[in-house]
Amino acid sequence: MALDHAILVSLLEQPGSGYELARRFERSIGYFWTATHQQIYRVLKRMESDGLLDVREVPQEGRPDKKEYSVAGPGRAALSLWLHEPIEPESLRHDLAVKIRGAAFDDPAALVREVERHRQVHGERLAHYLAGELRDFTGPEAPVPLDAGQELQHVVLRGGIAYERMTVAWLDDVLATLGRLGRGGPRT
Amino acid sequence: MALDHAILVSLLEQPGSGYELARRFERSIGYFWTATHQQIYRVLKRMESDGLLDVREVPQEGRPDKKEYSVAGPGRAALSLWLHEPIEPESLRHDLAVKIRGAAFDDPAALVREVERHRQVHGERLAHYLAGELRDFTGPEAPVPLDAGQELQHVVLRGGIAYERMTVAWLDDVLATLGRLGRGGPRT
DNA sequence: GAGCGCATGTAAGCGGTTACATGATTTG
DNA sequence: CAAATCATGTAACCGCTTACATGCGCTC
């Protein structure tokens, strides 16, 4: 149940509405955790009724009113508690790898287009992350020096960058392997 | 619902019982997909009643009898269908990254031990994968040349290796960053 | 007038986790 | 004699996904 904690962290970094949170989960927080708005609204409601969050109705002009959530005392305590608990190192869960092994029992060449598509998506994510890094942390517009929170955000972003870079390289490896198989093996 | 397909692939590679599948999901298939035996038994039963799998009761001596599952015609067709469907490129879901960003609102130094623990686990997984690669694909005992199925298994394993290597390097980066913050920033 | 961005929700279903349960055989 | 391995299951819960629903204002 780390969605709760991801929301707490995001709201500590910056209070906001469910809608805004959902957008953050498509960007920065989304580097390592995804969530849809339906999920977020439900969790926000539950956390608010549990006293972990405060709500403030914010009337707006030209836009629907919104509810701005912020972290209450008990919410901060709950986060602190979780931060001191050990968690399990995660394991991968990669559908594409299942497909690749499955290709042995079907037509490997048919997989090429699919792998190319994934490669492109990951390449775009990589470019997106790199642009964000330049904008927020390493470019001329970035604050110098970075405070502790920014340093931590940066190292997490570097993790996302490393992941996408690794994935792109691996998918190239997969494509090369499929190509070799398609040409009937390496007996030049 | 890729567990179904992971099971189909695993049973095509080698028929076996639910128990054996559970053990494979701790090893080779587990490089990119995890599942517990409770889950596996339920899915096996469902797939069998849907006609995707065949069962054969295998009496054993000194051990409980087992049910050996193998892929039936419709199961192979279902896999083939899935292989030709596009799937969504996956996103990360990394609790530890949430913790790292959350550390900004708590004590960053308290996270060091946790990160070190994760680093060790991923280091061990990396060593385990490398040993498997040597045993099955690149060592003197490995078959030469590899057939298509083995080439595909190998490229998936290389993905697992690349992932663990990347993760270990990133966790070192995280530890270095936490160290810098603990010493009060990079002012010499 | 269509489509997009802002903003908030409900409902159904299922995949996955956790806990519990059984029972034989082999190993320390 | 306890613990681990082999072997198969049930039950409860919950987090997450998917689909559906509403309504305003701005832009093309």
Side-chain angles (χ1 to χ4, degrees):
Chain A
M1 202 189 346
L3 174 57
D4 298 42
H5 305 110
I7 286 176
L8 285 172
V9 170
S10 192
L11 287 179
L12 279 169
E13 289 176 352
Q14 177 82 47
S17 68
Y19 188 83
E20 284 164 354
L21 278 174
R23 269 173 44 235
R24 287 186 216 168
F25 275 85
E26 287 168 7
R27 297 185 305 108
S28 81
I29 300 275
Y31 298 156
F32 50 86
W33 200 270
T34 57
T36 57
H37 76 273
Q38 295 89 335
Q39 228 185 112
I40 290 167
Y41 282 122
R42 240 183 322 131
V43 174
L44 282 175
K45 193 168 277 186
R46 196 193 68 227
M47 291 173 79
E48 196 256 315
S49 79
D50 288 351
L52 303 181
L53 301 179
D54 291 324
V55 206
R56 198 167 58 96
E57 287 273 348
V58 178
Q60 294 187 123
E61 283 170 22
R63 293 181 181 184
D65 296 352
K66 66 175 182 180
K67 297 179 185 169
E68 195 183 76
Y69 290 91
S70 54
V71 178
R76 225 179 146 119
L79 179 65
S80 180
L81 206 71
W82 178 71
L83 286 174
H84 289 269
E85 268 171 23
I87 51 172
E88 280 297 297
E90 344 236 335
S91 302
L92 277 180
R93 198 159 266 218
H94 211 139
D95 293 67
L96 192 59
V98 179
K99 277 200 172 192
I100 292 166
R101 273 175 80 146
F105 307 96
D106 204 80
D107 178 20
L111 218 78
V112 170
R113 209 167 296 174
E114 175 82 343
V115 176
E116 281 172 344
R117 222 187 75 239
H118 284 247
R119 203 225 105 107
Q120 204 195 322
V121 170
H122 287 284
E124 281 162 12
R125 283 190 198 162
L126 175 58
H128 181 228
Y129 292 178
L130 287 171
E133 187 184 35
L134 201 66
R135 184 187 63 238
D136 298 332
F137 302 116
T138 55
E141 307 272 298
V144 178
L146 303 174
D147 65 32
Q150 289 162 337
E151 286 284 2
L152 291 170
Q153 286 183 33
H154 188 193
V155 78
V156 168
L157 178 55
R158 288 202 296 274
I161 289 170
Y163 175 76
E164 297 301 336
R165 204 165 252 157
M166 179 280 296
T167 302
V168 166
W170 176 59
L171 291 175
D172 284 338
D173 185 7
V174 172
L175 286 170
T177 304
L178 288 174
R180 251 181 287 126
L181 292 176
R183 287 199 314 278
R187 38 173 173 152
T188 322
Chain B
M1 198 184 356
L3 174 57
D4 298 42
H5 305 110
I7 286 176
L8 286 171
V9 170
S10 191
L11 288 179
L12 279 170
E13 289 175 354
Q14 178 79 46
S17 68
Y19 188 83
E20 284 164 354
L21 277 174
R23 270 175 41 239
R24 288 185 215 168
F25 274 86
E26 288 167 7
R27 297 185 307 105
S28 83
I29 299 274
Y31 297 158
F32 50 85
W33 200 271
T34 58
T36 58
H37 76 272
Q38 295 90 336
Q39 229 185 111
I40 290 168
Y41 283 121
R42 237 181 326 130
V43 173
L44 282 175
K45 193 167 276 186
R46 196 194 68 228
M47 291 173 80
E48 195 258 316
S49 80
D50 288 351
L52 302 181
L53 300 179
D54 290 327
V55 206
R56 198 169 58 97
E57 287 274 348
V58 178
Q60 294 186 120
E61 283 170 23
R63 293 181 183 187
D65 297 352
K66 65 175 182 178
K67 297 178 184 170
E68 194 183 77
Y69 289 91
S70 54
V71 178
R76 221 178 150 123
L79 179 64
S80 180
L81 206 70
W82 178 71
L83 286 174
H84 289 271
E85 268 170 25
I87 51 173
E88 280 295 299
E90 345 235 333
S91 300
L92 279 179
R93 198 159 265 215
H94 210 140
D95 294 66
L96 192 59
V98 178
K99 277 202 172 191
I100 291 165
R101 274 177 80 147
F105 307 97
D106 204 79
D107 178 20
L111 219 78
V112 170
R113 209 166 296 174
E114 175 82 343
V115 175
E116 280 171 347
R117 221 187 77 239
H118 283 248
R119 204 223 105 106
Q120 203 195 323
V121 170
H122 286 284
E124 280 162 12
R125 284 190 198 163
L126 175 58
H128 181 228
Y129 292 177
L130 286 171
E133 186 184 35
L134 201 66
R135 183 186 65 237
D136 297 331
F137 302 116
T138 55
E141 307 273 295
V144 179
L146 303 173
D147 64 32
Q150 289 162 336
E151 287 283 1
L152 291 170
Q153 287 183 32
H154 188 194
V155 78
V156 167
L157 178 55
R158 288 202 296 274
I161 289 170
Y163 176 76
E164 298 300 338
R165 205 165 251 158
M166 180 282 295
T167 301
V168 165
W170 177 59
L171 291 176
D172 283 338
D173 185 6
V174 172
L175 286 170
T177 304
L178 289 174
R180 253 182 286 125
L181 291 176
R183 286 199 314 280
R187 37 177 173 153
T188 326

